[in-house]
Amino acid sequence: MKRTLLSLFILSTSLSVFSQDAVSYQLPPKAMADLLLAKPTPTISIDGKAEWILLSERNTYSSVEQLAMPEVRIAGLRINPANFSLSRQSYISNFSLQNVKTGKTSAISGLPVPLAAGIPEWNPGDTKISFTNTTAKGVDLYVIDVATAKATKVNKQPLNVILGNGISWIDSETILYRVATKPASAMPQKPLMPKGPTVQQNLGKTSPSATFQDLIRSPYDEQLFEFFGTSQLVQYKNGVQTLIGKPAIYANVNVSPDKKYLLEKTINKPFSYLVTSRGFPSTVKVTDLSGKTVKVLAELPSTEGTPSGYDNTQNVTRDYDWRDDEAATLTWVKPLDSGLIKNKVQFHDAVFALSAPFNGSAKELFKTETRYRGTVWGNTTMALVYEGLRSKQTSKVSRYNPSTGNVETLYAVNQTDAYNNPGTPVTTKNNFGRSVVQTVDNGTKLLMNNTVGSSPKGDLPFLAKFDLDTKKNDVIWRSAEGTFEYVADVIDANKLVLLTRRESQKDVPNYFIKNLKLRIADRAVTQFSNPYPSLEGIIKEKISYKRSDGVDLTGNLYLPKGYDKAKDGPLPTLIWAYPREFNSATDAAQIRGSKDRFTMISWASPIFWVTQGYAVLDEAEMPIVAKEGKKPNDTYVEQLVANAEAAINKLSDLGVGDRNRMAVGGHSYGAFMTANLLAHTNLFKAGLARSGAYNRTLTPFGFQNEERTYWDVPQLYYEMSPFSYANKIKTPLLLIHGDSDDNPGTFPINSERLFNAIKGFGGTTRFVFLPYEAHSYRGKENLLHMLWEMNNWLDTYVKKVK
């Protein structure tokens, strides 16, 4: 019987002479599979009165068959054509209510079966909770009555949640949402004969293009976007539904604090072929609650003309929003530098305001010295203004007095300086039900919550009071060493009653009521159990070490249960990392993370291999630091190698890592790192690279935190691309990529072409193309098989090396 090479099915992890291995789905070792499929602990949402907690449960992963359902990919969106929702979503599978005082948990009646719920939202009075439920035929809106623990469907027509769910509580009884205007079955059908070719042109205008995926590519795609994007606003109250205005492509709809107006942003034609729907031409206007136009505020162009550079913006108004501290006042931003941050001006942005009835002239509120990032409103004398520069990694917060117009700097920090991060100001609800700045001690201080709390001792979250006069941050509570505990919610700012989330190496995260003033014993409000009992007994520690130029580095080291260094000797080791850029070597050297966190597992984690006898160094610091006035990436490869050498030396010196059995891996930019290390060193026995970008010329207008273009620094783009050195990659490299990657820049062709290049030069490589997977993987069968592939690769080229 004759057989072709393509008909041979080879199920082996040894080096094959054939370019294809037609492999059916495989399972990893049971310990790894059990960790992957363990059901996560519920998430919680507490009401503003701290009387009720909503518990939300999720299933683990969907099947590949579910991922394979039809989808429409247009305008940067992935749409389920059957139900006016986005495809590839993760849903809540069950809700329950728990009384904080009694601890009693109640099931909720009336929930649809099966439940595929979106994120729940409490109404202003904390008496009801809304959520969407997605079915094969449509999306429905349900409301849970907290007092009766009963869920009721409220919509008559299926919702349209393509451009965000559009659901907002107007008051405690009234809810706003969007519905589909036509049945999904009316979707335009693609003609066999097009009207003509697809043509794009540019007539001398500078229009740099980012590397977006799933863009509109034809007139038929335009028809589809208009069909799926169009929706009708609906108001529901006491069983009555009222249509608001006419159908449109609503990008955003926000209710004014006084509940009398709507701020609408609607998308217009022509639809762009170069940017996603977020950058399409749009109209910004104010309407009343019947949908009648009160004032058109702006006709905004497509963002195609936005200049390249992370701190540049279009020379148009932007960021239209309501002031949270006034009944109906609009704000927006106008660039004072023509949108170019390089232009030498005293102020780069100005913020304007216009109050109801919106027939006067806009008033300038304040200006910012760098790029405006937003305002957290407070009261008549207090608002916090945020500004900064991504290119310089700077951030500044100022106090704005709406009554006097005075602006004064409160603090300025480097975004990478974790130790000096003062935290995030705590907010409270005002009389409009809007979140505004919370002040304490008679308005003299802010309450600052830092849920990370980086310090030389590791992450120790804290709560502080920031004195508005002295501009000093006084820590009033900090997580105890040996645990990791952060403030999840401030229940009462004046009495300092808090909801905290506490964990340790041995204790699964749970929630507690803490009273800082009375200093009574903390009261547990949840009793979640360990979803990963097989990890009990593993060894976890944060290790510190230096690279050759003196930069301090850290990583989280995991060792197998029962491991004895004296008895077992050095182990095969997997180093997993994701590089980050720093303008400051001091910031790069700061300790991040905590050894006292409970070990949680996601599909992307490398910790699976601690169950297979490996030492695992996770979150190994790989800083790329600006040196001698240069940009960080100017010495990218040199620093990457120094980082890897330092980690290997430390693990070897500790006696836990076998220098001759080291592997390196990462996802996305970590995969890019992995391929570069294999191209430029012989430090490792194998590499694992998932969904990376390996040819930087495919992202010519910048990538990661590199804002210079290919034409600015062509040599840098060449030297940072492992594809340029594919002929030098001789260390076995496993490439994994989702065939439906949706991440800007990490096109699947990156892995395809790198595999072919390595193969062409006789390297040892394997390319696994996961069907229907995007940049983040979701299919259960794919994930189990991914672990099997990675485990076999490591066993073959690392563990079994003599």
Side-chain angles (χ1 to χ4, degrees):
M1 180 177 64
K2 292 184 178 181
R3 293 186 298 177
T4 65
L5 288 179
L6 289 177
S7 69
L8 293 175
F9 286 76
I10 305 164
L11 189 56
S12 170
T13 57
S14 60
L15 184 62
S16 171
V17 297
F18 304 116
S19 59
Q20 286 85 243
D21 271 0
V23 180
S24 59
Y25 280 119
Q26 300 296 307
L27 296 175
K30 185 177 184 301
M32 298 176 75
D34 288 346
L35 287 176
L36 178 76
L37 300 178
K39 191 170 183 177
T41 57
T43 57
I44 76 165
S45 174
I46 191 169
D47 70 359
K49 303 172 185 175
E51 294 177 354
W52 292 96
I53 287 176
L54 181 70
L55 299 162
S56 302
E57 299 176 31
R58 294 180 184 269
N59 293 325
T60 50
Y61 302 100
S62 58
S63 70
V64 172
E65 184 177 18
Q66 290 173 294
L67 295 182
M69 298 300 288
E71 66 180 1
V72 174
R73 302 179 185 180
I74 48 171
L77 304 168
R78 294 192 171 181
I79 298 168
N80 184 331
N83 61 13
F84 287 95
S85 74
L86 297 179
S87 57
R88 303 171 179 274
Q89 297 187 72
S90 295
Y91 297 109
I92 295 167
S93 58
N94 190 36
F95 287 122
S96 57
L97 279 167
Q98 179 180 323
N99 185 282
V100 173
K101 185 175 293 186
T102 65
K104 181 181 178 181
T105 300
S106 303
I108 297 173
S109 64
L111 292 175
V113 179
L115 179 66
I119 297 174
E121 183 178 350
W122 294 82
N123 72 350
D126 293 320
T127 58
K128 296 181 179 181
I129 306 166
S130 65
F131 68 90
T132 59
N133 182 65
T134 301
T135 71
K137 295 182 179 180
V139 179
D140 295 316
L141 176 61
Y142 282 76
V143 171
I144 300 170
D145 183 274
V146 175
T148 62
K150 181 180 180 180
T152 304
K153 177 185 169 184
V154 302
N155 62 297
K156 295 179 181 178
Q157 302 149 270
L159 273 62
N160 183 334
V161 294
I162 296 294
L163 296 172
N165 71 22
I167 297 169
S168 57
W169 286 97
I170 296 177
D171 55 43
S172 290
E173 300 298 330
T174 312
I175 192 165
L176 184 72
Y177 56 96
R178 308 173 199 168
V179 299
T181 59
K182 296 179 180 179
S185 59
M187 180 183 78
Q189 298 302 303
K190 186 174 185 179
L192 295 177
M193 178 64 184
K195 293 181 179 180
T198 298
V199 177
Q200 301 181 58
Q201 68 176 7
N202 189 64
L203 302 178
K205 185 177 181 180
T206 302
S207 300
S209 298
T211 53
F212 298 115
Q213 301 199 49
D214 301 330
L215 298 179
I216 285 178
R217 299 185 181 279
S218 69
Y220 174 64
D221 285 351
E222 295 184 57
Q223 284 184 276
L224 289 178
F225 177 72
E226 185 171 14
F227 174 79
F228 285 112
T230 301
S231 62
Q232 169 70 56
L233 289 179
V234 175
Q235 175 182 289
Y236 172 89
K237 183 175 183 178
N238 298 329
V240 178
Q241 297 187 101
T242 306
L243 302 186
I244 299 177
K246 297 179 180 180
I249 305 177
Y250 293 100
N252 299 105
V253 179
N254 295 315
V255 184
S256 63
D258 66 0
K259 317 299 190 295
K260 294 180 179 180
Y261 302 96
L262 300 177
L263 173 61
E264 299 179 359
K265 181 179 180 182
T266 54
I267 292 174
N268 305 325
K269 293 180 178 179
F271 306 140
S272 174
Y273 285 40
L274 295 178
V275 297
T276 68
S277 61
R278 292 184 178 182
F280 287 2
S282 61
T283 298
V284 181
K285 65 180 180 180
V286 178
T287 73
D288 60 22
L289 289 188
S290 71
K292 180 182 177 181
T293 298
V294 175
K295 185 178 182 65
V296 175
L297 298 166
E299 297 286 351
L300 300 177
S302 164
T303 61
E304 289 179 13
T306 304
S308 61
Y310 294 132
D311 295 313
N312 293 329
T313 185
Q314 280 188 295
N315 191 24
V316 297
T317 53
R318 68 182 194 275
D319 297 347
Y320 285 83
D321 203 356
W322 296 109
R323 275 184 63 162
D324 295 311
D325 62 334
E326 293 191 348
T329 298
L330 290 163
T331 63
W332 62 86
V333 191
K334 180 181 179 180
L336 302 177
D337 55 9
S338 299
L340 299 173
I341 203 70
K342 68 179 180 181
N343 287 343
K344 303 297 183 182
V345 293
Q346 183 179 0
F347 298 100
H348 286 273
D349 280 332
V351 175
F352 293 83
L354 181 64
S355 299
F358 315 108
N359 53 15
S361 298
K363 174 187 175 182
E364 181 182 296
L365 299 183
F366 54 83
K367 299 174 182 177
T368 58
E369 295 178 342
T370 54
R371 194 60 78 207
Y372 173 77
R373 288 177 173 170
T375 300
V376 181
W377 298 97
N379 52 40
T380 56
T381 61
M382 159 70 73
L384 300 178
V385 177
Y386 290 75
E387 60 179 289
L389 294 175
R390 177 175 172 180
S391 59
K392 297 185 182 299
Q393 299 179 330
T394 59
S395 180
K396 185 171 78 171
V397 178
S398 300
R399 177 183 183 178
Y400 167 64
N401 186 324
S403 297
T404 65
N406 183 56
V407 178
E408 62 172 331
T409 300
L410 293 181
Y411 53 90
V413 296
N414 193 304
Q415 293 170 193
T416 59
D417 182 2
Y419 289 178
N420 290 304
N421 181 349
T424 302
V426 172
T427 61
T428 187
K429 294 292 180 67
N430 64 7
N431 59 315
F432 296 118
R434 312 284 281 215
S435 294
V436 294
V437 177
Q438 171 77 65
T439 58
V440 293
D441 296 351
N442 296 317
T444 62
K445 297 175 183 177
L446 302 177
L447 205 55
M448 305 290 283
N449 185 18
N450 190 318
T451 59
V452 178
S454 296
S455 77
K457 295 181 179 180
D459 289 351
L460 294 170
F462 63 79
L463 188 71
K465 288 184 178 180
F466 183 91
D467 192 299
L468 292 168
D469 291 326
T470 65
K471 299 179 177 59
K472 291 184 178 180
N473 216 30
D474 178 30
V475 175
I476 59 175
W477 170 85
R478 190 156 203 157
S479 176
E481 293 182 38
T483 65
F484 181 87
E485 183 177 12
Y486 68 86
V487 177
D489 196 8
V490 176
I491 297 170
D492 189 318
N494 293 308
K495 294 181 180 179
L496 292 178
V497 180
L498 317 172
L499 176 72
T500 67
R501 183 179 185 270
R502 183 193 306 159
E503 62 189 284
S504 70
Q505 279 200 31
K506 295 182 178 180
D507 300 313
V508 68
N510 270 293
Y511 291 85
F512 298 82
I513 299 290
K514 182 185 295 290
N515 191 314
L516 296 187
K517 280 197 171 181
L518 296 182
R519 298 190 179 278
I520 56 179
D522 294 351
R523 178 159 57 91
V525 293
T526 61
Q527 293 84 32
F528 301 142
S529 58
N530 183 1
Y532 313 114
S534 63
L535 289 182
E536 292 179 0
I538 67 166
I539 302 166
K540 176 185 177 182
E541 63 176 308
K542 180 167 282 292
I543 61 172
S544 302
Y545 48 100
K546 286 183 182 289
R547 75 182 191 189
S548 56
D549 60 359
V551 174
D552 292 315
L553 305 174
T554 63
N556 295 323
L557 177 61
Y558 296 85
L559 298 171
K561 184 186 332 183
Y563 172 69
D564 184 320
K565 179 171 63 177
K567 176 183 175 182
D568 302 320
L571 299 172
T573 303
L574 172 60
I575 298 175
W576 198 265
Y578 188 97
R580 295 178 60 202
E581 297 86 352
F582 294 85
N583 287 329
S584 163
T586 301
D587 291 354
Q590 292 179 347
I591 296 174
R592 294 170 175 82
S594 169
K595 64 179 177 58
D596 297 312
R597 300 206 68 168
F598 184 80
T599 300
M600 304 293 283
I601 297 289
S602 75
W603 68 268
S605 174
I607 300 171
F608 291 100
W609 280 275
V610 78
T611 69
Q612 303 303 304
Y614 289 82
V616 176
L617 184 63
D618 189 21
E619 298 181 5
E621 292 284 355
M622 292 278 176
I624 309 299
V625 185
K627 292 185 173 184
E628 300 172 356
K630 296 182 177 181
K631 298 286 188 179
N633 284 336
D634 290 343
T635 52
Y636 173 84
V637 172
E638 169 192 320
Q639 294 191 64
L640 202 61
V641 173
N643 291 328
E645 289 177 336
I648 292 172
N649 289 339
K650 178 64 176 182
L651 294 167
S652 179
D653 291 345
L654 287 174
V656 300
D658 187 341
R659 183 184 295 274
N660 297 314
R661 293 189 294 168
M662 292 277 171
V664 64
H667 188 87
S668 193
Y669 208 54
F672 173 72
M673 167 206 74
T674 298
N676 263 308
L677 284 170
L678 268 54
H680 296 285
T681 76
N682 294 312
L683 296 171
F684 300 97
K685 292 298 181 182
L688 307 170
R690 290 194 317 233
S691 296
Y694 309 113
N695 185 345
R696 296 277 50 132
T697 65
L698 296 176
T699 53
F701 284 99
F703 57 91
Q704 209 67 8
N705 284 311
E706 178 57 67
E707 63 177 341
R708 292 171 292 180
T709 71
Y710 166 79
W711 297 274
D712 292 330
V713 283
Q715 190 63 25
L716 180 139
Y717 274 68
Y718 176 88
E719 291 177 353
M720 285 187 68
S721 299
F723 182 80
S724 303
Y725 303 92
N727 59 323
K728 296 184 178 181
I729 298 179
K730 300 304 179 184
T731 301
L733 175 61
L734 175 63
L735 294 163
I736 300 176
H737 217 120
D739 71 4
S740 301
D741 196 325
D742 56 349
N743 185 56
T746 53
F747 306 102
I749 196 174
N750 278 279
S751 292
E752 295 178 72
R753 301 314 302 166
L754 183 60
F755 169 76
N756 283 327
I758 296 172
K759 178 170 69 72
F761 285 102
T764 300
T765 184
R766 182 177 174 93
F767 175 34
V768 180
F769 221 12
L770 298 176
Y772 308 111
E773 292 293 356
H775 194 63
S776 179
Y777 308 160
R778 298 192 180 197
K780 178 173 63 177
E781 297 86 352
N782 281 335
L783 293 171
L784 289 166
H785 186 85
M786 175 199 75
L787 293 177
W788 176 80
E789 292 276 5
M790 295 170 69
N791 190 59
N792 284 345
W793 198 258
L794 291 174
D795 279 359
T796 301
Y797 297 109
V798 181
K799 180 183 280 189
K800 296 178 181 178
V801 171
K802 300 297 184 182

